[in-house]
């Protein structure tokens, strides 16, 4: 049993979808569960639908949804060459459900409506790809993951109920492989026990694949991307990146923690628990070796790993009464950050102040400042960059800083971080 995950970039054109089919065909007689994301930028487009609906701009939301329906219908017609194919009825059912949501008056939280609308993307892509696979000689069974992944009702960041989901994988997923060797399903989404759609967090399809790999006791998970493997830095920012042939689970978790857009942070643990290797390979050239992520990789072989987080804010929180910022006060500040779901990327405290670097989210920062205003003075700097280098060699960090002003800096034997303007 293998688990494959294909992201939106692998589905953004007819040619790429055909390439995905060719990749799957190159693994004959193997049982593969395939997790698929929404096509191209569909998730972004559906987010705009949700935003306009919640702002009661219903006509704009409806037009945006119509545009998504049109584009997906056109892709299906080109791939299948037959507008009478049963998949068009399936697509219409999905869009009708979305239209019902748009017909409501928003009476619940934005996150709830976000999940009902944005989950549409994966349902559309998998229905089309599954139909095309069958036509292209890749017999498969389509599965609605909402019938399998049971979660709580934390909309937009739902948590898997592993016990219930494990039973449903055994009862509903494993028998499908008696019918076909290939099962196609969705990433990113699940369902509450009230049958309400949820999402597992942005870029959650990697995590969906890892959950399946764990519960199916898979031989491996492979994430197919438009790069040859994991790099030591973002190739969009650095032209001379180095491919990493192998890396440990713990190192990837560190990279994700510092902000590298590599693998969804929650993806690793389900694989690590059962020692299932994770491969990152190129769907543009499946014969490239890619990267394997597993335990016990010698970090001495790694090049400097560079992570750049842009659009950062430095908050300096100073007590008004000149009292020390002790454990009790830090605990209160932490609780507020947790409540507002603000992640601290770097922090440091002095006698009467606490400084931290966070992503720039104006609404959350405004709420935070109002909550702290009575007891603290707040100063903040915007438009900053947080630079992180692991295994710093040959003055890599100095080159990145390049005479810019350092506002905050931390060093350990392995990692250097600098917040610069």
């Amino acid at each position: 049993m293998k688990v494959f995950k294909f992201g939106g970039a692998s589905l953004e054109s007819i040619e790429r979808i055909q390439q995905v089919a060719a990749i799957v065909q190159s693994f004959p007689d193997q049982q593969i569960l395939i997790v698929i994301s929404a096509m191209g930028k569909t998730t972004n487009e559906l987010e705009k639908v949700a935003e306009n609906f919640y702002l009661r701009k219903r006509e704009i939301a409806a037009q945006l949804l119509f545009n998504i329906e049109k584009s997906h219908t056109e892709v299906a017609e080109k791939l299948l060459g037959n507008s009478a194919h049963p998949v068009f009825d399936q697509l219409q059912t999905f869009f009708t459900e979305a239209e019902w949501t748009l017909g409501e008056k928003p009476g619940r939280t934005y996150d709830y409506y976000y999940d009902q609308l944005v989950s549409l993307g994966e349902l559309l892509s998998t229905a089309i790809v599954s139909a095309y696979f069958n036509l292209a000689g890749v017999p498969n069974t389509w599965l609605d993951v909402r019938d399998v992944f049971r979660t709580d009702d934390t909309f937009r960041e739902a948590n898997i109920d592993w016990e219930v989901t494990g039973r449903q994988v055994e009862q509903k997923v494993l028998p499908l492989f008696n019918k076909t060797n290939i099962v196609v399903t969705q990433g990113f989404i699940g369902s509450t026990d009230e049958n309400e759609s949820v999402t597992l967090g942005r870029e959650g399809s990697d995590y969906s694949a890892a959950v399946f790999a764990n519960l199916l006791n898979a031989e491996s998970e492979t994430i197919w991307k438009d790069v040859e493997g994991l790099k030591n830095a973002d190739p969009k920012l650095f032209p001379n990146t180095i491919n990493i042939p192998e890396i440990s689970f713990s190192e990837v978790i560190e990279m994700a923690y510092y902000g590298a857009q590599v693998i969804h942070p929650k993806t690793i643990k389900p694989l690590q628990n059962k020692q299932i290797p994770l491969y990152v390979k190129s769907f543009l050239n499946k014969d490239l070796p890619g990267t394997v992520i597993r335990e016990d990789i010698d970090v001495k072989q790694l090049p400097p790993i560079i992570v750049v987080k842009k659009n950062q804010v430095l908050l300096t929180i100073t007590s008004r009464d000149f009292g020390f910022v002790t454990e009790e006060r830090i605990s209160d500040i932490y609780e507020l950050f947790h409540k507002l779901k603000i992640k601290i990327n770097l922090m440091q405290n002095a006698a009467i102040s606490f400084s931290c670097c966070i992503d720039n989210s104006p609404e959350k920062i405004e709420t935070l400042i109002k909550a702290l205003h009575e007891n603290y003075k707040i100063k903040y700097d915007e438009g900053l960059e947080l630079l992180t280098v692991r295994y710093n060699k040959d003055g890599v960090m100095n080159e990145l800083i390049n005479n810019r002003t350092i506002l905050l800096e931390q060093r350990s034997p392995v990692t250097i971080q600098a917040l610069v303007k």
Side-chain angles (χ1 to χ4, degrees):
M1 176 73 68
K2 297 179 185 294
V3 174
F4 285 177
K5 181 262 178 174
F6 291 97
S10 63
L11 309 172
E12 64 183 10
S13 69
I14 299 296
E15 293 74 23
R16 288 194 169 185
I17 295 172
Q18 292 169 337
Q19 178 67 16
V20 168
I23 289 172
V24 177
Q25 282 179 315
S26 68
F27 292 86
D29 304 320
Q30 294 198 37
Q31 292 183 333
I32 306 174
L33 183 134
I34 301 176
V35 172
I36 291 178
S37 301
M39 290 182 177
K41 302 297 183 183
T42 301
T43 299
N44 295 340
E45 294 164 6
L46 284 165
E47 286 177 336
K48 294 176 185 175
V49 174
E51 289 166 8
N52 281 280
F53 162 74
Y54 203 71
L55 292 171
R56 289 174 168 77
K57 298 178 181 179
R58 201 162 297 171
E59 290 184 5
I60 296 175
Q63 182 60 51
L64 291 169
L65 184 65
F66 174 78
N67 294 341
I68 295 168
E69 179 175 5
K70 183 181 177 186
S71 64
H72 280 75
T73 301
E74 288 173 353
V75 169
E77 288 174 346
K78 289 177 182 177
L79 279 170
L80 303 173
N82 177 10
S83 57
H85 192 285
V87 76
F88 290 97
D89 290 334
Q90 188 180 12
L91 298 179
Q92 188 56 57
T93 298
F94 294 144
F95 280 111
T96 298
E97 291 174 359
E99 288 163 3
W100 287 343
T101 299
L102 294 186
E104 298 179 19
K105 289 184 178 180
R108 300 181 62 171
T109 65
Y110 172 73
D111 288 351
Y112 167 79
Y113 291 108
Y114 176 100
D115 280 3
Q116 308 319 301
L117 292 165
V118 174
S119 59
L120 176 65
E122 277 67 20
L123 296 168
L124 298 172
S125 63
T126 52
I128 293 170
V129 170
S130 174
Y132 174 68
F133 275 11
N134 281 320
L135 187 68
V138 186
N140 73 95
T141 305
W142 182 84
L143 169 69
D144 189 335
V145 76
R146 296 174 300 177
D147 294 332
V148 179
F149 277 15
R150 178 67 68 246
T151 73
D152 62 12
D153 60 357
T154 308
F155 295 104
R156 295 187 72 179
E157 290 284 349
N159 299 294
I160 298 284
D161 183 328
W162 283 85
E163 183 178 349
V164 175
T165 301
R167 286 200 303 269
Q168 295 189 152
V169 165
E170 187 173 342
Q171 295 167 6
K172 298 180 179 181
V173 180
L174 283 173
L176 298 178
F177 288 99
N178 296 324
K179 180 181 176 183
T180 60
N181 279 337
I182 308 295
V183 172
V184 173
T185 193
Q186 306 79 37
F188 181 54
I189 65 176
S191 176
T192 70
D193 56 10
E194 298 290 327
N195 291 321
E196 294 172 322
S197 297
V198 295
T199 63
L200 307 179
R202 205 69 158 84
E203 308 296 336
S205 292
D206 291 353
Y207 178 55
S208 298
V211 172
F212 271 119
N214 178 289
L215 295 175
L216 291 167
N217 293 307
E219 168 192 331
S220 64
E221 176 185 340
T222 303
I223 296 176
W224 297 89
K225 300 172 74 74
D226 57 355
V227 293
E228 60 183 288
L230 291 189
K231 303 281 189 178
N232 72 315
D234 186 344
K236 295 175 183 175
L237 300 177
F238 300 93
N240 300 315
T241 55
I242 301 170
N243 198 59
I244 301 174
E246 56 180 7
I247 192 169
S248 68
F249 286 128
S250 58
E251 189 61 42
V252 170
I253 290 172
E254 292 284 349
M255 291 171 67
Y257 173 79
Y258 290 118
Q261 301 298 310
V262 283
I263 306 295
H264 191 278
K266 293 194 295 186
T267 300
I268 300 301
K269 191 58 180 172
L271 303 174
Q272 187 181 36
N273 285 349
K274 292 192 174 178
Q275 295 300 300
I276 299 169
L278 173 61
Y279 294 88
V280 179
K281 292 178 69 70
S282 171
F283 63 78
L284 300 173
N285 186 345
K286 68 179 181 60
D287 296 323
L288 291 174
T291 300
V292 59
I293 304 167
R294 54 183 174 81
E295 284 288 11
D296 302 325
I297 300 298
D298 184 4
V299 297
K300 294 179 182 178
Q301 304 300 318
L302 291 174
I305 294 173
I306 304 167
V307 181
V308 178
K309 284 181 72 73
K310 296 179 179 291
N311 198 24
Q312 298 294 290
V313 172
L314 175 63
L315 287 179
T316 303
I317 303 167
T318 305
S319 58
R320 290 186 180 275
D321 62 1
F322 290 93
F324 287 157
V325 178
T326 58
E327 291 82 357
E328 182 179 354
R329 291 196 177 193
I330 290 176
S331 177
D332 291 340
I333 293 170
Y334 266 36
E335 185 176 349
L336 186 56
F337 274 77
H338 175 70
K339 182 179 178 181
L340 295 174
K341 296 182 179 179
I342 299 175
K343 178 181 178 292
I344 298 174
N345 299 323
L346 185 66
M347 59 186 171
Q348 197 170 86
N349 69 287
I352 61 171
S353 67
F354 175 82
S355 298
C356 62
C357 166
I358 61 175
D359 296 340
N360 191 0
S361 177
E363 290 183 5
K364 290 183 177 181
I365 292 174
E366 183 180 350
T367 304
L368 177 71
I369 290 174
K370 286 180 180 177
L372 292 169
H373 179 74
E374 182 177 350
N375 297 316
Y376 300 94
K377 294 182 289 185
I378 314 295
K379 176 186 174 184
Y380 68 96
D381 293 292
E382 300 177 289
L384 310 179
E385 284 190 3
L386 178 59
L387 310 175
T388 302
V389 178
R390 289 176 65 77
Y391 313 108
N392 186 44
K393 299 172 187 174
D394 303 322
V396 170
M397 179 57 90
N398 289 337
E399 290 183 21
L400 293 174
I401 294 172
N402 192 24
N403 296 319
R404 287 184 286 179
T405 302
I406 300 174
L407 301 181
L408 202 61
E409 184 177 33
Q410 285 186 2
R411 292 174 178 259
S412 76
V414 175
T415 305
I416 303 175
Q417 291 189 281
L419 184 65
V420 300
K421 64 185 299 184

